[in-house]
Amino acid sequence: MNYAALKKTDVANGPGVRVSLFVSGCNHACKGCFNREAWDFHYGKPYTPQVQEEILEALAPGYIRGLSVLGGEPLEPENRGTVLELLREVRRRCQGKDIWCYTGFRYEEDLLRWAQEEKEFPRNRAAPVGEILALTDVLVDGEFVEEKKNLRLPFRGSENQRLIDLGESRRQGRTVCLGL
């Protein structure tokens, strides 16, 4: 996997001061996307163990609230394995930090269906969507829709995108969105 940018003090992609990793590669090709260069899976720099360690170290200070993973598209099949490895390490080494993941895929229509397929066909489990969702606190889902662009919305770009509290969604057995 390549990454387009690493921001160690970001305040635009989730609450508080965060570390944000922008992965490379996206097949959504949303009209009006702010990060078109990151559509290319080869854009940016290679994601290495050293980059992962840099992210984990950047998460260490008490004033850092958490990690945001966006792109590009973190949940493209080509990116999922590396994203999963990072999220596992964040959970292991950075207790108390929250994880936000931005995706153009829809939670119910795409991600939950893929996670269910992984359970039903574990031998074919090439894409660990279910575990990524289990490690993520907030999922920002939905493609950017230029006609629904709204710069007043916190932490997202268009009105169709949702901030889904995944922990509460699992507890209640239904999709629960944050009231932001």
Side-chain angles (χ1 to χ4, degrees):
M1 179 179 89
N2 277 14
Y3 70 100
L6 172 59
K7 295 183 179 182
K8 295 182 183 177
T9 53
D10 184 9
V11 295
N13 295 298
V17 181
R18 313 184 65 74
V19 175
S20 292
L21 175 68
F22 293 77
V23 305
S24 294
C26 181
N27 289 312
H28 296 296
C30 300
K31 177 182 164 191
C33 175
F34 81 100
N35 204 7
R36 289 179 67 108
E37 62 275 358
W39 292 359
D40 180 353
F41 286 88
H42 302 289
Y43 179 77
K45 301 174 186 173
Y47 184 90
T48 64
Q50 293 77 19
V51 172
Q52 181 164 298
E53 192 58 37
E54 186 178 348
I55 292 168
L56 294 166
E57 289 174 8
L59 285 164
Y63 64 87
I64 298 292
R65 175 138 176 207
L67 172 70
S68 293
V69 183
L70 52 168
E73 174 57 75
L75 299 181
E76 288 284 6
E78 297 88 337
N79 294 334
R80 290 179 199 161
T82 304
V83 168
L84 175 59
E85 181 182 319
L86 171 62
L87 299 189
R88 284 176 178 159
E89 281 302 301
V90 170
R91 286 289 181 229
R92 189 174 75 77
R93 292 177 46 186
C94 305
Q95 285 84 25
K97 306 294 181 174
D98 65 5
I99 297 174
W100 283 45
C101 184
Y102 286 71
T103 181
F105 295 110
R106 295 285 295 177
Y107 179 57
E108 298 87 352
E109 291 86 2
D110 301 315
L111 304 177
L112 288 180
R113 180 173 51 87
W114 296 338
Q116 184 59 41
E117 289 171 1
E118 292 169 7
K119 288 180 185 176
E120 292 173 12
F121 306 104
R123 290 190 192 126
N124 296 337
R125 188 177 174 211
V129 172
E131 191 173 352
I132 290 171
L133 292 176
L135 294 167
T136 301
D137 297 295
V138 174
L139 181 78
V140 183
D141 84 330
E143 292 185 1
F144 172 76
V145 177
E146 188 171 50
E147 295 76 23
K148 295 182 179 188
K149 182 178 180 177
N150 183 342
L151 298 178
R152 289 175 283 185
L153 294 171
F155 313 127
R156 59 199 185 275
S158 61
E159 294 172 358
N160 62 297
Q161 295 173 313
R162 302 175 298 169
L163 306 174
I164 301 172
D165 181 331
L166 290 179
E168 197 58 34
S169 295
R170 284 187 289 274
R171 281 187 284 285
Q172 293 190 27
R174 64 180 183 87
T175 303
V176 176
C177 294
L178 297 176
L180 301 176

